[in-house]
Amino acid sequence: RCQRFDFKRISAQNIAERMKFILNDYGYTYEEEALKIIANAAEGGMRDALSLLDQTISFSENQITVEDALTITGSVSQQVLNELANAIVERDTQTALTSLNTILASGKDSERLIEDLIQYYRDLLLYKNSSISNLTFLHLEHEEEFSRIAKNYNQELIFKVIDQLNRTQQEMKFTNHPVIFLEVCFVQLC
C-alpha cells in the first residue's frame, strides 16, 4: 500500500515569518528585507529557504543584511532593477547596457538577473492592475520609486517587456554566450 501526499508551495510571506521565528529564537539580528529576498529565492520551499538562511548566517558577521542575502541568493537589488526599468522606459540604451555590464562584472549570474527582471515586471503589472491593497509585492521596499516607474509604463509595454525577457531566457539556455542574448534583449527593449 502507498499513500500520496500533495505538497503545495509555501508563500514567501509564510517562509519569511518562519525564518523570523527561528532567528528570534536563536537571538540573531536581521533586516526584514533580507528575509524577503531569501524567501523569494526559495520559490516556495521551506527547506531551500532554511538552507539559504543557514548559508547567510555563516556568511554574515553580526547581522543578516540585505547585501548578505543578495550575495548568497545571487539576486539583484531593488535599486538596480529600478535603474534598468527606468532605462528601458526612457529608451536609454547606454544606461541599460552600462548597468547590465556593472551587474555582470560584480559576479551576478545572467540567468538569475533575467529571472529577477521577469519577477519585477510581473510585480509592476500586478501593481498597476490591482485594486487589492493587501497584495504583497516583492519590489515595494522603495515604494515611491516603484510607483513612479509604474506610472511611466503602460500595460502593453509591460507585456512586451515580459514577452521579450521570456524569449531571451529561453534562448539563453541553449547558448555558450548568454550575455550576448541579454545585451541584444536590452537594446531591443530600449
Side-chain angles (χ1 to χ4, degrees), residues 68-108:
D68 295 338
L70 290 172
T71 300
I72 293 298
T73 62
S75 297
V76 179
S77 74
Q78 164 78 42
Q79 185 176 6
V80 171
L81 293 172
N82 284 342
E83 288 173 15
L84 288 171
N86 259 336
I88 290 169
V89 78
E90 292 173 4
R91 301 184 179 279
D92 186 352
T93 308
Q94 181 66 38
T95 300
L97 291 176
T98 302
S99 294
L100 174 63
N101 288 329
T102 302
I103 292 165
L104 297 176
S106 71
K108 299 296 182 189

Side-chain angles (χ1 to χ4, degrees), residues 77-91 95 117 119-129 139-155 157-158 161:
S77 74
Q78 164 78 42
Q79 185 176 6
V80 171
L81 293 172
N82 284 342
E83 288 173 15
L84 288 171
N86 259 336
I88 290 169
V89 78
E90 292 173 4
R91 301 184 179 279
T95 300
L117 280 165
Q119 180 72 38
Y120 180 92
Y121 280 97
R122 171 255 185 204
D123 290 351
L124 198 64
L125 182 66
L126 293 179
Y127 182 80
K128 285 189 71 69
N129 291 295
H139 298 287
L140 286 183
E141 63 254 28
H142 300 284
E143 188 169 0
E144 290 176 18
E145 175 88 14
F146 190 83
S147 179
R148 187 183 60 72
I149 291 169
K151 288 177 185 171
N152 293 332
Y153 274 88
N154 61 42
Q155 189 166 317
L157 180 56
I158 296 172
V161 171

